[in-house]
Amino acid sequence: MAVRASVLGGRSLGLGLLLLLVAVAVAAALEVKRPRGVSLQNRHFYEENIPFTCLDGSKTIPFHEVNDDYCDCRDGSDEPGTSACPNGSYHCSNAGHRSEYIPSSHVNDGICDCCDTTDEYNSGATCLNTCKEQGRKERETLQKMAEMAKEGFKLKQQLIEDAKKSREDKQLKLAELQKEKANWEIQVESLRTLKEAAEKPEQEAKEVHKNAWDEVQAAHNLEKNKAKAAETFKELDDNEDGFITMNEIQTHAELDSDGDGVVSEQEAETLLGGASHVDVASFQEVVWAGIQDKYKSEAVTETPIVPVVPVEGGADSSREVDHEDHRKDEDEDDYGEGQDDGVGDDDSEDDGEEEEEEEEEEKTSIMH
């Protein structure tokens, strides 16, 4: 539809220019008798020997009063060839060129307004008829415009064809890309399915191993917690009778629950699960969970002795020797203790290594 409209538009423009050229030629060839200043279109209003009626219908006058240099009609239509009416219009025939209207006031004013010089018929002005030359120039201009319009129309048609072809090529390319995309999506989905199928046994094995390892860790932590509970039981069992009583609980102020710094009998009984005393099994099952976060071990940690800094001069200098001797004694003691601690550290390291070896053996047994 767009191409058809463009074709019609181009044809209409060329036809219009052709008709204009024909009209100019016809105007040059025809010269019909009529009153001065009247156009061919209005010739039928001005019939000789017939009374003239103003074009606005306001008045009818004898025909001999037309162009008598006296304005009778209000619209000035009775004086088309004179300057009598201020609102009248004079028609220039301009044979060989375009006809035109000029104000009646320009008639016989000494200035040539019409190219055929007819507006200055009684002014004495010397005018040259330039209508043929102007008509020739205008026809040449119109011819050039027609040729330009024709070339523009051809160029427009070419652009339309190029755009249409480009659009079709892009649509084909888009269809190919969409097809390739669909194929790639199918391949990706197939590979994803294969990947999930290949990873499934591994994921299941990892899950089994993790669950087994979590169970081992839970059992190991449970044993450690039981060992810690047993150790705490021994510390609380002051009389070593195999039972922990309320009195023994009351000796640990950190177990106070109401914040007054003292463990009352009621608080001690509550901590013991409502009993007056418990054995080690009941302690581990009932009591230990409630006190393990608050309980502080009775094991005493030795605080190292800070040496005194010697002061220079006077009586203090005599003390410096004593301090040095004292430091030597402490260094010797520390050396002996350090040796003992070293042995203890070795034992601790050995215990840690044994625990790591046990964990590795457990992991290996679970994997197998």
Side-chain angles (χ1 to χ4, degrees):
M1 292 296 292
V3 174
R4 184 178 181 183
S6 300
V7 172
L8 293 176
R11 291 179 177 175
S12 299
L13 178 60
L15 183 60
L17 293 174
L18 181 61
L19 290 176
L20 181 60
L21 292 173
V22 172
V24 171
V26 171
L30 296 178
E31 191 64 37
V32 179
K33 185 179 179 181
R34 59 192 184 278
R36 188 186 299 274
V38 176
S39 65
L40 287 174
Q41 290 81 359
N42 293 336
R43 171 69 184 84
H44 61 282
F45 294 118
Y46 298 86
E47 295 289 341
E48 293 185 12
N49 302 321
I50 297 177
F52 173 75
T53 300
C54 301
L55 297 184
D56 62 357
S58 60
K59 190 176 182 181
T60 299
I61 60 175
F63 185 78
H64 67 272
E65 292 183 4
V66 174
N67 282 338
D68 64 348
D69 204 20
Y70 181 83
C71 190
D72 298 294
C73 299
R74 287 180 299 180
D75 61 357
S77 57
D78 64 313
E79 299 296 323
T82 71
S83 59
C85 296
N87 59 340
S89 296
Y90 179 86
H91 180 263
C92 302
S93 297
N94 293 339
H97 190 39
R98 288 184 295 103
S99 61
E100 62 178 337
Y101 282 95
I102 62 173
S104 295
S105 59
H106 292 181
V107 176
N108 293 323
D109 63 349
I111 300 175
C112 298
D113 298 292
C114 300
C115 67
D116 61 359
T117 71
T118 56
D119 62 312
E120 300 298 324
Y121 61 89
N122 198 29
S123 66
T126 302
C127 299
L128 296 177
N129 189 330
T130 60
C131 288
K132 290 183 179 180
E133 181 64 19
Q134 291 184 19
R136 183 185 64 78
K137 291 181 179 180
E138 184 169 0
R139 285 191 295 273
E140 290 177 354
T141 302
L142 292 174
Q143 183 65 29
K144 291 179 181 179
M145 291 177 61
E147 292 176 356
M148 289 177 63
K150 185 177 180 181
E151 291 298 324
F153 175 73
K154 290 181 179 179
L155 179 60
K156 181 178 180 181
Q157 289 297 107
Q158 185 61 42
L159 292 175
I160 291 174
E161 292 297 326
D162 293 343
K164 183 179 179 181
K165 186 175 182 303
S166 177
R167 184 171 181 271
E168 292 175 353
D169 293 341
K170 290 180 179 178
Q171 287 178 341
L172 290 175
K173 184 64 175 177
L174 177 61
E176 292 176 359
L177 291 175
Q178 289 176 342
K179 185 177 180 181
E180 290 180 4
K181 178 186 174 185
N183 293 334
W184 281 114
E185 288 177 348
I186 293 173
Q187 294 183 25
V188 168
E189 187 62 28
S190 177
L191 292 173
R192 182 183 291 111
T193 303
L194 293 175
K195 176 177 176 290
E196 292 175 354
E199 291 179 348
K200 185 175 181 180
E202 181 181 356
Q203 294 293 337
E204 292 176 351
K206 286 182 178 179
E207 188 67 23
V208 171
H209 176 73
K210 182 178 180 299
N211 293 337
W213 176 246
D214 291 343
E215 292 176 0
V216 171
Q217 287 294 100
H220 181 67
N221 292 335
L222 181 60
E223 290 298 326
K224 286 176 66 176
N225 193 42
K226 285 184 178 181
K228 182 65 176 176
E231 182 181 349
T232 303
F233 183 87
K234 289 181 180 180
E235 291 181 0
L236 289 172
D237 188 13
D238 295 331
N239 56 7
E240 299 181 357
D241 61 350
F243 294 96
I244 294 178
T245 62
M246 290 190 296
N247 292 333
E248 290 170 334
I249 289 292
Q250 288 179 292
T251 59
H252 286 267
E254 74 271 10
L255 301 178
D256 173 40
S257 60
D258 58 7
D260 61 357
V262 178
V263 180
S264 63
E265 290 184 359
Q266 185 177 359
E267 290 174 337
E269 185 178 359
T270 301
L271 292 174
L272 292 176
S276 60
H277 60 277
V278 294
D279 57 8
V280 64
S282 299
F283 178 82
Q284 291 177 343
E285 295 175 1
V286 180
V287 181
W288 174 240
I291 69 172
Q292 60 180 347
D293 294 333
K294 295 181 179 180
Y295 178 77
K296 294 181 180 180
S297 176
E298 295 178 346
V300 179
T301 305
E302 294 185 0
T303 303
I305 300 174
V306 181
V308 180
V309 179
V311 182
E312 296 182 359
D316 293 335
S317 59
S318 61
R319 297 179 184 175
E320 184 176 352
V321 178
D322 297 335
H323 289 310
E324 290 178 358
D325 294 338
H326 180 67
R327 282 199 297 273
K328 289 179 181 179
D329 294 338
E330 288 180 350
D331 292 340
E332 291 174 357
D333 294 338
D334 293 339
Y335 177 73
E337 292 175 359
Q339 288 180 336
D340 295 338
D341 294 340
V343 174
D345 294 339
D346 293 339
D347 294 339
S348 300
E349 292 176 0
D350 293 339
D351 294 339
E353 292 177 358
E354 290 176 0
E355 290 180 358
E356 291 179 359
E357 290 176 359
E358 291 176 359
E359 291 179 359
E360 291 295 332
E361 290 177 358
E362 291 174 355
K363 289 182 180 180
T364 304
S365 62
I366 291 169
M367 294 177 64
H368 290 296

